[in-house]
Structure formats: structure tokens, C-alpha cells
Amino acid sequence: MNKIAVIGAGTMGNGIAHVFAQSGFSVALIDVQQAQLDKALATIGKNFDRQIAKGSVSEEQKTSALGNIRTFTSIAEGVKDAELVVEAATENIDLKLSIFRQLDEAAPRGCVLATNTSSISITRMAAATNRPELVIGMHFMNPVPVMKLVEIINGYATKPEITETIVDLSRKLGKVPCVVNDYPGFVANRILMPMINEAIYTLYEGVAGVEEIDTVMKLGMAHPMGPLQLADFIGLDVCLSILRVLQDGFGNPKYAPCPLLVNMVMAKKLGVKSGEGFYTYTPGSKELVVSAGFRK
Ligand SMILES: NC(=O)c1ccc[n+]([C@@H]2O[C@H](COP(=O)([O-])OP(=O)(O)OC[C@H]3O[C@@H](n4cnc5c(N)ncnc54)[C@H](O)[C@@H]3O)[C@@H](O)[C@H]2O)c1
């Protein structure tokens, strides 16, 4: 495989394009918005500059990687000669089903269709195509150029040879692949989201404050970031929607989202992206300040 198409040029799409281009693959980066494509190229350039400053990449490697990326606003145009498509568009089931139908029509017959979804069923997306055996989950972590893991998710119909191909490909990107099966939340979010939800319940019930909860988990469990700060980083709306997927998918009340999380999302306190969640974020400042409502 050498020709890769990436659908969606947001947070994850630009990172996925970055790592493929850096490893010498030819990348077609596709988004419905030209502005997102321009922003993604600028972000990729800045992230390469950061790697250059650290000495892990040379100026020549940056130039060559950027030369490997072409941008498109049309899916049909961007995927027409792709050998692998990695879909990283907005997390919305109807949108993803419609993209998979389009991909099935426009991508060459043997082209593998992968999705970076955090929580939507791979099997359901595969069923929207006429090639379910070529559909697979390729779940990169944020920030993609830094994080080593790729959670590879076998749909119900995924062929074993396709899984092997994607495992090898992930290793070529310098990543560590981990193969799992397609059940709600896969492995990463099935374990992470209940922990975040429990941290929010611990705050909601007054067991401890924001800083205490995050400090216990950071210093006690050697987590690089506390669960409440991590929730802010992921986006509280994203955490809520993944918990709903777990709750619906398993029908088990243990996944029910904490009412405090539901309220914060309704109040548009979404974490880093809205400027406020459990902490308050000021552009240009790295200081971690607990939000006013949670200060003692
Ligand atoms: N952000 C994370 O930390 C993270 C981590 C792992 C997985 N994911 C998953 O990755 C995917 C993308 O998430 P993100 O955070 O990058 O989202 P994002 O909102 O930053 O970017 C999504 C992009 O998709 C584009 N898009 C929407 N409809 C499209 C279409 N029809 N065709 C082409 N592009 C389209 C949007 O314009 C936007 O640029 C989601 O499935 C999400 O669950 C996100």
C-alpha cells in the first residue's frame, strides 16, 4: 500500500495525514471545507517544526513529507486511486454511514476502508458497504504524531488478511498496533470512560475537589494527567456521547453518565475547546486553574 486517503482534516485527520506523509506514503487529505484543509496543512507544518526543534526530524524530511500531501474537497476525486482510506470525519453515525456509502462507490474495488471512530460500530459502517470484509477500525490516539498506540478493531466480517495488512502498516508508521474486537467502546474507551465518569461522580458527590481527584490519580496511579483534566482535553460532549454508546450498547446502568456531566454539556462547558470545563483555559496560558464553580 502506498496511496492513502484521509477523510476529515480536523484534529485527528491532520495528525493521521502527518504520520503517513512522514513515512513516505502519498496522502490525499479530504475535507468538505477548504478552510479546514488550509488549517490542517498549517498545523502539520507547525507540528513538524516542533519535531525539528526536538531534533527528531530534519528540515528535508519536513519538505518531503509536505510534498507527499495533496488536498481535495471532493471525496470521489480524492479516493479515486486510493489503496487505503482512513475516515476521520466528525463523530456522527448518519454522517459516517453516508461517507461509507460514498466511499464504497468511489474507491477502487480492493481498497480497504478504515475508520478512526472512537465509539461507532465498525460492523454497522461495514454493513453500509458492499465490501464489509475490507472494513476495519484504525483508532489513532490524540496527538497522533506523538501517541504510539493504534487500536485496530475487527468488524464482524473483517478478513484476517486485512487485519494483518493494517497491523503491518501501523508498524511502518512507527506505531504499536493492538488488535481488538468490535463491541461498544472497543477496549480504550470501554475502560477509560467509566473511569472518567466515576471521577465526575466523585466530584458530584462531594467526596473530593477537582484538584484532589486529579492529584490522587496522577501521583497515586502515575497517570500523566488526572481524569478530569483528561475529560476537558477530550471534550465533555465527546465523553458524554461515548458513555451513551456504552449505555445503549450494553443496556447496563453502570455506564449511565453522571448528571453533572450531562448538565455541563447542556451548559456548553465542554472543556478546552469551549474555554471552560473542570478547569478554565486562557489562550497563551499553561496554568491549570480550577473553574469558579468548583473552587472551594
Ligand atoms: N479528537 C480526539 O481526541 C479523537 C481521538 C480518537 C478518535 N477520534 C475520532 O476521530 C474522528 C475525528 O475527530 P476529530 O476530533 O478530528 O474531529 P474534528 O471535528 O476536529 O474534525 C472533523 C473534520 O471532519 C470534517 N468533515 C465533516 N463532514 C465531512 C465529510 N462529509 N467529508 C469530509 N470531511 C468531513 C469536518 O469539516 C472537520 O474538519 C471522530 O470519529 C472521533 O471520534 C477523535
Side-chain angles (χ1 to χ4, degrees), residues 10-12 31 33 36 88-91 96 116 118 139-140 142:
T11 311
M12 298 304 287
D31 202 290
Q33 302 180 55
Q36 277 294 94
T90 315
E91 186 81 342
K96 300 236 189 228
N116 185 53
S118 307
H139 185 198
F140 290 86
N142 185 18

Side-chain angles (χ1 to χ4, degrees), residues 81-202:
D81 57 357
E83 291 160 289
L84 167 72
V85 177
V86 183
E87 176 279 317
T90 315
E91 186 81 342
N92 173 301
I93 178 81
D94 294 329
L95 174 72
K96 300 236 189 228
L97 291 175
S98 138
I99 290 176
F100 269 76
R101 277 185 218 109
Q102 288 177 62
L103 289 175
D104 196 34
E105 290 214 340
R109 191 182 277 231
C111 174
V112 174
L113 306 180
T115 171
N116 185 53
T117 182
S118 307
S119 61
I120 296 172
S121 163
I122 310 302
T123 305
R124 189 153 175 210
M125 280 182 257
T129 74
N130 291 308
R131 57 178 99 185
E133 69 288 356
L134 301 187
V135 176
I136 192 161
M138 206 176 176
H139 185 198
F140 290 86
M141 305 290 133
N142 185 18
V144 183
V146 177
M147 298 291 280
K148 283 276 172 206
L149 178 72
V150 184
E151 188 181 30
I152 293 174
I153 305 119
N154 280 327
Y156 196 82
T158 311
K159 267 204 306 206
E161 303 91 277
I162 299 302
T163 310
E164 274 169 39
T165 304
I166 298 301
V167 163
D168 290 345
L169 187 72
S170 304
R171 292 206 177 105
K172 284 195 186 121
L173 299 176
K175 301 294 182 198
V176 178
C178 206
V179 179
V180 311
N181 290 321
D182 183 26
Y183 287 97
F186 320 133
V187 169
N189 282 316
R190 180 169 178 172
I191 296 174
L192 176 64
M193 287 303 155
M195 183 189 76
I196 286 177
N197 199 34
E198 204 58 36
I200 302 172
Y201 263 114
T202 311

Side-chain angles (χ1 to χ4, degrees), residues 177-233:
C178 206
V179 179
V180 311
N181 290 321
D182 183 26
Y183 287 97
F186 320 133
V187 169
N189 282 316
R190 180 169 178 172
I191 296 174
L192 176 64
M193 287 303 155
M195 183 189 76
I196 286 177
N197 199 34
E198 204 58 36
I200 302 172
Y201 263 114
T202 311
L203 176 69
Y204 172 69
E205 291 169 4
V207 179
V210 170
E211 274 174 318
E212 288 74 16
I213 293 167
D214 275 356
T215 304
V216 166
M217 297 305 286
K218 269 193 294 191
L219 302 187
M221 317 300 154
H223 289 190
M225 195 185 274
L228 299 174
Q229 189 189 356
L230 181 58
D232 274 0
F233 182 67

Side-chain angles (χ1 to χ4, degrees), residues 14 17-18 29 39-49 66 69:
N14 82 59
H18 177 135
L29 181 59
K39 200 170 138 200
L41 288 181
T43 304
I44 295 170
K46 266 191 246 150
N47 289 339
F48 266 113
D49 289 340
L66 289 177
I69 305 176

